[in-house]
Amino acid sequence: MGRLFATYDLETPTTLERAAEVIAGEQSSGTFLKLPGETDRLKELSGARVERVTATSSSRVPSLPCRISAETYTRGEVVLSWPLENMGTSLPNVLATVAGNLFELADVSALRLTDISFPEEFAVAYPGPAYGRQGTLALAGVRDRPMIGTIIKPSVGLSPAETASLVAKLADGGIDFIKDDELQANGPHCPFEDRLNEVMKVINSHADRTGRKVMYAFNITDELDVMRRNADLLQQAGGTCAMVSLFSLGLTGLSAIRRHIDLPLHCHRNGWGIYSRSPDIGISFPVWQKFWRLAGADHLHVNGIANKFTEADTTVIENARSLDDPLSGERGYQAMPVFSSGQTAVQMEETCRAVGHTDFIYCAGGGIMGHPGGVAGGVASLKQAAEAAVGGIPAHVFAKDHKELSEALDLFGKKDGTGARK
Amino acid sequence: MGRLFATYDLETPTTLERAAEVIAGEQSSGTFLKLPGETDRLKELSGARVERVTATSSSRVPSLPCRISAETYTRGEVVLSWPLENMGTSLPNVLATVAGNLFELADVSALRLTDISFPEEFAVAYPGPAYGRQGTLALAGVRDRPMIGTIIKPSVGLSPAETASLVAKLADGGIDFIKDDELQANGPHCPFEDRLNEVMKVINSHADRTGRKVMYAFNITDELDVMRRNADLLQQAGGTCAMVSLFSLGLTGLSAIRRHIDLPLHCHRNGWGIYSRSPDIGISFPVWQKFWRLAGADHLHVNGIANKFTEADTTVIENARSLDDPLSGERGYQAMPVFSSGQTAVQMEETCRAVGHTDFIYCAGGGIMGHPGGVAGGVASLKQAAEAAVGGIPAHVFAKDHKELSEALDLFGKKDGTGARK
């Protein structure tokens, strides 16, 4: 059987070598006293191994409060590996191994899990995304350009009928993709089943008229029994996408719904800042996305260029590109990046260039609703921006004879096509 | 319907009032542009409310990297509330609301979710722990004292037969409770079913001989289908406790297994440091434990006094005591605190005094295995320490005519009964 590899960005009041050994011990066969059963043979078979230790910097003060004080706190990259025999091909148990009782250790004053590598056995155990990029594009009838999407706003408070009437406007405006806000769940204001029925009436009738079915990601996030029932209703109503909040479901919830539903899973990472905001604690996106792709995520939110949050553009793009990282085995398990958060026509050019392909979903809220030409104008501006990007024409040049794009660049950014924050 | 309240420890480059309004807006009906559908009536019905803002301190530098720079970063406590109509009585959707897209906001330079209050509707929707404190004690046949427990060590690498032979020794030594390490899952080294059968043979035969059944928490953490099958096997074999890793399961996984199994759920919070280690980002234990108790956690790990991690003793005790915090409705939903991590007879007295009751599980690893009197000596030392504490007799006095306690205090700490770190 293969081995599992994990990479950490670690700071320690002792030495990197010692801290790496402590983690390897804690997370496999060790404890704070030498035990009778911990033979050399057992350690050889079951122990985690320190594969590599590379110092990167040092500091006089610890990055996080730490019980052990020292003159110098050393930072570096540490790679550990585990025999798969310990935890088997079970993602929930892999998580407990690589991201378990490590972050509290007195031997570390900062710890981030930055990469993971799954041996090929996981490709047998986990199906990966059912639709991924190509399946989603085919289902939505979109070719050779990004899917243009939006989020129902206000996020909460609209009735099912009000939601459906907004969907009708968006469908008529030419949108490819619509999603519930992650706050819109199954509350009494707007119950799931009523919203589903009202919205699908509009979408199905629009599809009958035009031959194009708008993909709507209904938020099914809930307890598993409810989620399964709502997923069934969704499929019966002709829906083509289900949305889930990843951290609310957990890995077992994500796997369970992947095995139940035959539709793309639109995966929202709300709560993400807990893992990403501090440079000194957490789990990086390139790690989480591998867990999620194995478990079956089709679409993964990655924020957006010039977003309204704090994530840097370089991180956003690295994260989107990490969805191409090889997973275990030969199958690609490619998931679709979803750009969202303060997106308008302004960032389309840079997004296409930076991602390196156009198989992504580009969600704009205010960037569509706030367009002077209304919904249709907003959608048109985004499609024009995409067309310019795909054709290699600078947005401000293309805008010269494309009114909606021109209006969007005027309102949301600068005519030279560089992104400007709201 | 009631409202949901959440309390945050927040630092901001703007003002506390402004940051609180941004979060309230983002997490209910707002967005970055005023939208046509966002009427005053909709805001009144669906908007989150800022209930209270209290400044506590300020700083010249931001605690976390922040896109907005300012002369002063103000810190304080912010209380928000939401109408239950938005998300209904669904814990996964509550999590997306109170701990969703907040932590990345440019308007905060530190954010911790420190408290939550569920309206009484949740007591109808969620069953809470099936056994809790009293049910666990009754099932284990323990009265008026803490349960003495241990963890199988080495954590991984022992075969099912080797595990069972260690269990036999522990059972003969008088132990009340044994748990798998959270790293011991269902890998080829020690498959769940084999371990279950070998261990339960020993436990059942010991129970037949002595009338006392040792409670063994088998780690069933896995994908849901596997977890359910193993839970069934566990009940069929006469097992009396199942262990799960909370962050691996997620809220939906925890609820789903609670509804499937009729045994106490021993809940391990490995990965805890991600939420707790930084003073500037995360979710406090008093919040998580309410989610977990509603979803059905019977036992919750809280670390231990003088533990080998970095959590301060005051935090450990506050967290253990938070399991008494009132939840929604009248039912208590009391869960049992589990003390673990470098525990020996030394910390028993202080633990009993600080917790204020003795309905807890006290797990010692090296504190039992490393005792000069072997397993039986280690268990005896812990029971003697508990007896002293329950009787209000200082441990060092009680130790005068209790050899095993005396040996433990000598080896692991100081005779005056104060804890000493290993």
Side-chain angles (χ1 to χ4, degrees):
Chain A
M1 294 189 92
R3 289 180 80 83
L4 189 71
F5 290 79
T7 307
Y8 301 90
D9 172 21
L10 182 159
E11 185 191 86
T12 179
T14 66
T15 65
L16 286 172
E17 289 72 17
R18 153 99 187 141
E21 287 295 347
V22 166
I23 294 179
E26 280 288 331
Q27 290 310 100
S28 62
S29 55
T31 184
F32 76 101
L33 284 177
K34 172 78 181 169
L35 296 175
E38 196 187 355
T39 59
D40 289 345
R41 185 168 169 279
L42 184 141
K43 272 196 111 157
E44 174 59 30
L45 282 174
S46 308
R49 262 188 231 145
V50 178
E51 298 282 348
R52 202 173 69 233
V53 169
T54 318
T56 53
S57 65
S58 68
S59 161
R60 291 277 167 202
V61 288
S63 293
L64 293 174
C66 190
R67 178 154 60 76
I68 302 175
S69 48
E71 286 288 302
T72 307
Y73 298 82
T74 312
R75 193 144 187 160
E77 191 179 86
V78 167
V79 180
L80 303 183
S81 78
W82 285 263
L84 205 54
E85 280 83 359
N86 284 17
M87 79 300 282
T89 53
S90 161
L91 292 181
N93 287 310
V94 170
L95 188 68
T97 301
V98 299
N101 275 347
L102 318 175
F103 302 94
E104 298 115 301
L105 288 172
D107 303 84
V108 301
S109 51
L111 187 67
R112 286 187 57 84
L113 173 58
T114 56
D115 201 7
I116 189 166
S117 167
F118 290 96
E120 60 182 16
E121 284 86 349
F122 284 85
V124 179
Y126 284 91
Y131 285 77
R133 289 183 194 165
Q134 298 311 318
T136 296
L137 290 167
L139 195 59
V142 172
R143 286 182 61 176
D144 303 327
R145 64 166 174 84
M147 282 172 68
I148 306 301
T150 193
I151 303 119
I152 294 290
K153 297 276 173 182
S155 315
V156 287
L158 297 179
S159 67
E162 287 165 341
T163 308
S165 120
L166 184 51
V167 169
K169 235 187 279 182
L170 289 161
D172 289 341
I175 200 104
D176 300 316
F177 176 90
I178 308 173
K179 64 180 280 290
D180 282 334
D181 190 272
E182 76 277 10
L183 297 168
Q184 181 54 269
N186 192 10
H189 266 344
C190 190
F192 178 85
E193 194 170 349
D194 296 349
R195 185 166 79 254
L196 172 72
N197 291 335
E198 296 281 348
V199 167
M200 286 313 299
K201 225 186 293 174
V202 168
I203 287 180
N204 286 331
S205 119
H206 181 264
D208 288 345
R209 281 197 321 277
T210 64
R212 249 180 24 89
K213 188 178 240 184
V214 175
M215 182 175 279
Y216 189 108
F218 288 93
N219 183 16
I220 61 168
T221 303
D222 218 314
E223 297 300 348
L224 196 63
D225 292 347
V226 184
M227 199 154 57
R228 281 182 170 149
R229 195 203 59 200
N230 289 342
D232 292 342
L233 293 173
L234 174 51
Q235 292 197 256
Q236 284 156 25
T240 54
C241 189
M243 168 169 145
V244 292
S245 289
L246 291 163
F247 294 115
S248 297
L249 262 63
L251 290 170
T252 63
L254 180 60
S255 279
I257 199 67
R258 161 67 177 89
R259 282 156 209 249
H260 183 80
I261 196 175
D262 180 24
L263 284 180
L265 287 174
H266 186 85
C267 296
H268 200 287
R269 58 173 194 176
N270 57 81
W272 177 240
I274 294 174
Y275 305 91
S276 64
R277 184 72 187 266
S278 166
D280 300 312
I281 197 95
I283 301 180
S284 299
F285 188 81
V287 176
W288 269 126
Q289 58 88 15
K290 286 188 191 171
F291 277 97
W292 293 329
R293 280 158 69 201
L294 279 170
D298 293 281
H299 311 159
L300 280 166
H301 276 247
V302 295
N303 218 326
I305 290 180
N307 61 76
K308 58 182 173 175
F309 296 111
T310 43
E311 220 161 31
D313 291 353
T314 48
T315 307
V316 170
I317 295 304
E318 273 168 27
N319 289 348
R321 293 179 68 110
S322 78
L323 300 183
D324 285 334
D325 286 351
L327 275 181
S328 67
E330 296 200 1
R331 292 160 63 189
Y333 289 94
Q334 285 182 324
M336 208 162 183
V338 182
F339 293 91
S340 183
S341 167
Q343 300 299 286
T344 70
V346 172
Q347 302 104 315
M348 179 67 86
E349 187 175 3
E350 195 178 336
T351 304
C352 287
R353 187 173 44 228
V355 179
H357 61 79
T358 60
D359 299 348
F360 58 83
I361 301 176
Y362 192 86
C363 284
I368 286 176
M369 306 294 188
H371 192 279
V375 166
V379 173
S381 75
L382 291 161
K383 285 192 177 168
Q384 289 161 7
E387 195 184 336
V390 169
I393 306 160
H396 70 282
V397 174
F398 203 71
K400 283 178 186 159
D401 44 12
H402 290 86
K403 178 166 165 281
E404 292 83 358
L405 178 56
S406 172
E407 288 169 339
L409 298 184
D410 274 345
L411 181 61
F412 300 117
K414 302 190 208 141
K415 278 243 176 171
D416 67 0
T418 57
R421 296 189 189 276
K422 278 70 42 203
Chain B
M1 293 190 93
R3 288 179 80 83
L4 189 71
F5 291 79
T7 307
Y8 300 90
D9 173 22
L10 182 158
E11 185 190 85
T12 180
T14 67
T15 66
L16 286 172
E17 290 73 15
R18 154 99 187 141
E21 287 295 346
V22 167
I23 294 178
E26 280 287 331
Q27 290 309 98
S28 61
S29 55
T31 184
F32 76 103
L33 284 176
K34 171 79 181 168
L35 296 174
E38 196 188 355
T39 61
D40 289 345
R41 185 167 169 280
L42 183 141
K43 272 197 109 157
E44 174 60 29
L45 282 175
S46 307
R49 262 187 230 147
V50 178
E51 299 282 347
R52 203 173 69 233
V53 169
T54 318
T56 53
S57 65
S58 68
S59 161
R60 292 277 167 203
V61 289
S63 293
L64 293 174
C66 189
R67 178 153 60 77
I68 302 175
S69 47
E71 287 286 303
T72 306
Y73 298 82
T74 312
R75 192 141 187 162
E77 189 179 88
V78 167
V79 180
L80 304 182
S81 78
W82 286 263
L84 206 53
E85 281 82 357
N86 285 17
M87 78 300 284
T89 53
S90 161
L91 292 182
N93 288 308
V94 169
L95 188 68
T97 301
V98 300
N101 275 347
L102 318 174
F103 302 94
E104 295 115 303
L105 288 171
D107 303 84
V108 301
S109 50
L111 187 67
R112 286 188 57 85
L113 173 57
T114 56
D115 201 7
I116 188 165
S117 166
F118 290 96
E120 60 182 15
E121 284 85 348
F122 284 85
V124 179
Y126 285 90
Y131 285 77
R133 288 183 195 165
Q134 298 310 319
T136 296
L137 289 167
L139 195 59
V142 172
R143 285 181 64 177
D144 304 326
R145 64 165 174 83
M147 282 172 68
I148 306 302
T150 194
I151 304 120
I152 294 290
K153 297 274 174 185
S155 314
V156 287
L158 296 180
S159 69
E162 286 165 341
T163 308
S165 120
L166 184 51
V167 169
K169 234 187 279 180
L170 289 161
D172 288 341
I175 201 103
D176 300 315
F177 176 90
I178 308 172
K179 64 181 278 291
D180 282 334
D181 190 274
E182 76 276 12
L183 298 167
Q184 181 53 270
N186 192 10
H189 266 344
C190 189
F192 177 85
E193 195 171 346
D194 296 348
R195 185 166 80 252
L196 172 72
N197 291 336
E198 296 281 348
V199 167
M200 285 314 298
K201 224 185 294 173
V202 168
I203 287 181
N204 287 332
S205 120
H206 181 263
D208 288 344
R209 281 198 319 277
T210 65
R212 251 181 22 90
K213 189 177 240 184
V214 175
M215 182 176 278
Y216 189 110
F218 288 94
N219 184 16
I220 61 167
T221 301
D222 218 313
E223 297 300 349
L224 196 62
D225 292 347
V226 184
M227 200 155 54
R228 281 183 171 147
R229 194 203 58 199
N230 288 343
D232 291 343
L233 293 174
L234 174 52
Q235 292 197 255
Q236 285 156 24
T240 55
C241 189
M243 168 170 146
V244 292
S245 288
L246 291 163
F247 294 114
S248 296
L249 261 62
L251 289 170
T252 62
L254 179 61
S255 279
I257 199 67
R258 161 67 178 87
R259 282 157 210 250
H260 183 80
I261 195 176
D262 180 24
L263 284 181
L265 288 173
H266 186 84
C267 296
H268 201 286
R269 59 173 194 176
N270 57 81
W272 177 239
I274 294 176
Y275 305 91
S276 64
R277 183 74 188 264
S278 166
D280 300 313
I281 197 94
I283 302 180
S284 299
F285 187 82
V287 176
W288 269 126
Q289 58 87 13
K290 286 188 190 172
F291 278 96
W292 293 329
R293 281 158 67 200
L294 279 169
D298 293 280
H299 310 159
L300 280 166
H301 276 245
V302 295
N303 219 327
I305 290 180
N307 61 76
K308 60 182 172 176
F309 296 112
T310 44
E311 220 161 33
D313 291 352
T314 48
T315 307
V316 169
I317 295 304
E318 273 168 28
N319 290 348
R321 292 179 69 109
S322 78
L323 300 183
D324 284 333
D325 286 351
L327 275 181
S328 67
E330 296 200 2
R331 290 160 63 188
Y333 288 92
Q334 285 182 324
M336 207 161 183
V338 181
F339 294 90
S340 183
S341 165
Q343 301 297 286
T344 69
V346 172
Q347 301 106 315
M348 179 65 86
E349 186 174 3
E350 196 179 335
T351 304
C352 286
R353 187 173 47 228
V355 178
H357 62 78
T358 60
D359 299 350
F360 58 82
I361 300 175
Y362 193 86
C363 284
I368 286 177
M369 306 293 188
H371 192 279
V375 167
V379 173
S381 75
L382 291 161
K383 285 192 178 168
Q384 289 162 7
E387 195 185 335
V390 170
I393 305 161
H396 70 283
V397 174
F398 203 72
K400 283 179 187 159
D401 44 12
H402 290 86
K403 179 167 163 277
E404 292 84 359
L405 178 56
S406 173
E407 287 169 339
L409 298 184
D410 274 344
L411 181 61
F412 300 118
K414 302 189 207 142
K415 278 243 175 170
D416 66 0
T418 57
R421 295 188 190 279
K422 273 74 37 207

